[in-house]
Amino acid sequence: MTLRSTILAALLGAGLALPAAAQSVLRVVPHADLKTLDPVAVSVSITRLHGLMIYETLFAWDSGLQPRPQMVERWSVSEDGLTWRFTLREGLRFHDGRAVTTRDVAASLRRWMARDIVGSRLGDALASLDITDERSFALVLKRPFGLMTYALGSAVGAIPAIMREEDAATDPGRPIATTIGSGPFRFVREDWMAGQRVVYARNPDYRPRSEPADGLAGGRVVKVDRVEWRNIPDASTVAAALQSGEIDIWEQVATDLVPVVSRQRGTVVDRLNALGTQGMLRPNSLFPPFNDPRARLALAYIVDQAEAMAAGFGDQRWWRRCEAFFVCGTAYGSEAGSAPYARPNLERARSLLAEAGYRGERLVFITTNDIPWIGRMAEVAAAGMRQAGMNIDLQYNDWGTVITRQPRKDPPAQGGWNIFATGASGATMFHPLTNIGTGMACDGRNWAGWPCDEEAERLRLAFIEAADEAERKRLAEALQARLAEVQPYRPLGQADMPYARRANIEGMLPSPVMVFWNVEKR
């Protein structure tokens, strides 16, 4: 059997029939299978990617992570910073043909503010959301919120996707199953095969903005008829399919295959953006021992970033050490307070664990091999923790199970967990407003792990409310130093996430999330 026939057999065996030759089809292997369709219900990368295909947001981040108007035509803010007025673009329509109105916007924003870390901060400052007419509305604040447009264009966490009013008005705690947005692609439900294939078709009624595409902002001009996501778990099969042209884009190349794929004729390996991904080890602060910050600090003395990064990402040209919670090389990328644990110190770790009252109890470490670099980092972290005398139960699940276990607050012995390894995009982590791991509010509404520290949260909120950039930088430095003491998570370093494409694929946009408008096949 030839290589081509082997690949075709594998693809067709997975139910991935090739479309008609007359269509321009972009075939993509994403980093994970799509399980949750609601981009407001979960802060999972694959669901966010899906959400940006079919929904739009009021604003959008450009390649420099600056907010630009997307669904909004014009906006203004009062001199006291308390009243923001917005007018929607003309011609916005949902996939079912209905016009997008401010009633849809109001319901969508309320749902997002009830679910998302960024949204909740805006919600805390909001006095009222007032509808003027079908296209105009106002957000009236109790106190200034200078990051308004940045928040309304958020491409991290649970995105502020604008949905139909009846969808957005449902219980925010329950994911919706409908997929009717107003974006440049529509979800082709009849072609969706869970675990195998996700299909999107060009929305012929979509009217893009007139500005050039720039990151997530500007004109979202679709240049292909269909985009098919294909779930092919075996990395070697993906590499072979890319070489033969059976797939066009591999969103995250397996690190051990980067050298192989780089040498393939007709294949390009590249970076999507300059900020990469931050690896992280997230402990559960609800239960011993990690409810004590001394036990969390012990992790900083246990895990060597270089070992974790090398295991996860291989060649050092794809990763770097970085102790900055807000990402090295960015405006807020200070490493203040982290010098003492730049290298492992197991003796100090054991002492801190003893002070925290740890006596060898079993600790549940949940992880996955579905995303290989996560599993490899977890193995390195678990090995270091065992060396420090910790009793680690490393439990492997599929990625869908891991992300459904993460939000559970059950005791570890009853289906909960003590710790997990993961990563988040630099675009998420570089900013104190959007960094999902550094929210330490003591109300239990922060991200899975639920650490509580009033001083860290005071500094973070002061940053959000700061009036100018100089003050934000000063507060970010102070916040970094405090986080280094209380360790809401252990940064594992910073890595580029190389993607690969066929050489005939043009128009890939530098962006915090991979997008498929502006992309064409030559």
Side-chain angles (χ1 to χ4, degrees), residues 396-417:
Y396 292 92
N397 300 116
D398 63 86
W399 182 235
T401 299
V402 171
I403 63 176
T404 54
R405 283 184 74 176
Q406 285 175 1
R408 294 180 60 176
K409 294 184 178 181
D410 305 286
Q414 299 175 26
W417 53 275

Side-chain angles (χ1 to χ4, degrees), residues 47-102:
T47 299
R48 188 179 314 128
L49 198 68
H50 157 80
L52 289 168
M53 294 286 283
I54 65 173
Y55 295 105
E56 287 201 285
T57 52
L58 297 174
F59 288 77
W61 293 351
D62 65 18
S63 56
L65 305 182
Q66 297 301 307
R68 302 284 182 252
Q70 190 61 35
M71 298 179 79
V72 166
E73 178 182 285
R74 60 183 181 273
W75 77 100
S76 64
V77 59
S78 62
E79 288 187 9
D80 61 7
L82 295 180
T83 301
W84 292 73
R85 300 187 184 280
F86 305 90
T87 299
L88 298 177
R89 289 198 293 139
E90 291 185 354
L92 297 175
R93 293 194 173 277
F94 288 112
H95 300 152
D96 62 3
R98 282 178 27 193
V100 178
T101 73
T102 48

Side-chain angles (χ1 to χ4, degrees), residues 53 57 96 125 131 177 192 238-239 320 468 506:
M53 294 286 283
T57 52
D96 62 3
I131 293 175
W192 179 33
V238 180
R320 62 181 289 187
D468 61 75
E506 298 181 358

